[in-house]
Amino acid sequence: MRYSLLSKTTRVLLAVVLTASLAGHSPEVRAQRPTSSDRPTDFLDPAFHRQRRELLRQALPARSVAVLFAAPVRNRANDVDFIYHQAPDFYYLTGYTEPHAVLLLFKEPQTIGGQSGITEALFTQPRDPQRESWTGRRLGADGAKEQLKLQYTADNKSFAEAGIKWADFGQILFTDLPADVRDDARDPADLFNLVADFRRQAGVPTDYNPLVAELRGLIQRYGAANSANLLPYVESQSKAQPAVAADAYIQAYRQAKTDADRQKAIANKPAPARYDAATLVEVLSGLREIKTPEELKLLRRAVQISTTGQQEVMKALKPDMSENEVQGLHEYVYRRYGAEFEGYPSIVGAGANGCILHYETNDKPRLGNDLILMDCGAEYHGYTADVTRTAPPSGKFSPAQRQIYELVLAAQDAAFKECKPGSEFQAPHKAALQVITDGLIKLGLIKDATEVRKYFPHGTSHYLGLDVHDRGTYQPLQPGVVITVEPGIYIPANSPCDPKWWNIGVRIEDDILITKNGYENLSAGAPRTVAEIETLMAKPSALDNFKLPNLK
């Protein structure tokens, strides 16, 4: 509940009244998982997070500090917040799932709070029995030290007076600083104040623009080989952002006329900036791109749950179902197998809705005989799957639906062949794009390759892990990388083609682990071919006899 516009006296009175009258109402859901025998036992071990912190710390430049903040609390409506979801980078490094916290990693040992030899410090929200009775248990500083095994922990209220010698650091590294955060007037050390204290103590200029550091990094990594793609972006940001237009390094690259001039501009690197919002992202992208065995265990579980959802929903599909009902069946399966959340809003679109790439309304009351596109993924202990299948509610593809489906399937098979160590990240997309281009020309939907984006407007792959679009370097594929392979064709009504194709939307998406010798399809359990889908849909479902009473 937010009282920031009210007087202190009014806030106190409201707190007393609401505490007495709203028993059972939980406006803020943000409980750290407690240690107990009745909780799952397969969360990542604190040793995993400790290793990740140390690998990151080793990669830091000399005389530097890395600063990472917990995710903001997001308000849904009035006094109700969205269920809290920790920033993936923060979770990756700590395992901490509560808000209003800040993590510091020091390249060289520091003295913090009177303790010497400190290389890592976590400032957490404090214990508060009264608030915990409403919103769930908190670890507090002692609990974080005991359960998460961090070297130094303290209440967030002590962050401003911790004695950190910010002036001694040659570089201060951070990811994007939260800028759209509410200030809770009841909490002097909430995220709003933590960020403000950091900016004040570290001397971050009020006009600091992280985009400058980001563009410098992009130029140094991709400016030579991918100038055709990067230059338009640099140009647009230069026009929109005065800080970018004023940066000599960026503008030297922008104004270079030849490849040789461009190489000189790239090589003439400026001195490292003291305030740097790019380096930390680059290091984390490299770490998170390669999944460890512990991560793969959780990711496999998330994918297995998701493919089971696709199987069970296909058996239950009927033309008189609604999109919302189909979504609910997927998400019930997730909960049944222990997944806490969906990794992203479920996309369940029938007919014309399946031609909307990120359709999330899911309110068509009857599927009918249109294809239904189901892009759904379970999140298990922070790791998310991303699996899409497209099926006919009637149990049988029409001839036109089958032709488009099998073209997408052939494109996915071609993309799979490029999923191997050493392949460029874009190789699966290029293979899928070529198959779809040739197929659409053959079917008469397009005349040449310049028109293919009408019906295949997106890329084929992205990284997968703690985020559905996970961090990564976009360098050649290597063992331990998990990507999606998801070609699609979408033909909205009134497209310039034979109307028999209208409102057919097909996407087939699998989650692919790159191995030493090629790839493993983690989501192979969900049927892909026309024959597999039609055979599965003919089987009885456990839900066939599940009937609810009609509502009057």
Side-chain angles (χ1 to χ4, degrees), residues 314 389 397 405 409 524-539:
M314 283 186 189
R389 290 295 185 265
F397 289 84
Y405 187 93
L409 186 68
R528 293 175 56 242
T529 69
V530 167
E532 289 170 344
I533 291 172
E534 291 183 346
T535 298
L536 181 67
M537 294 184 71
K539 294 182 178 180

Side-chain angles (χ1 to χ4, degrees), residues 326-390:
V326 173
Q327 174 185 347
L329 293 177
H330 277 280
E331 294 173 7
Y332 167 73
V333 173
Y334 299 170
R335 300 305 194 278
R336 177 64 177 79
Y337 289 105
E340 295 91 341
F341 306 106
E342 302 80 57
Y344 53 94
S346 297
I347 300 168
V348 179
N353 296 334
C355 298
I356 301 171
L357 300 185
H358 282 182
Y359 173 76
E360 298 171 1
T361 310
N362 303 347
D363 66 353
K364 186 176 182 178
R366 188 176 186 277
L367 306 179
N369 293 322
D370 292 326
L371 288 179
I372 182 166
L373 188 157
M374 302 175 289
D375 185 341
C376 306
E379 181 184 301
Y380 187 80
H381 298 356
Y383 287 81
T384 180
D386 189 2
V387 181
T388 306
R389 290 295 185 265
T390 306

Side-chain angles (χ1 to χ4, degrees), residues 56 59-61 171 173-174 213 221 276-284:
L56 175 58
L60 298 178
Q171 284 186 272
L173 313 178
F174 45 89
R221 290 196 299 277
D276 185 341
T279 298
L280 197 54
V281 171
E282 184 177 348
V283 175
L284 283 165

Side-chain angles (χ1 to χ4, degrees), residues 159-172:
F159 175 63
E161 290 79 36
I164 300 166
K165 297 180 179 179
W166 296 98
D168 291 349
F169 298 118
Q171 284 186 272
I172 299 174

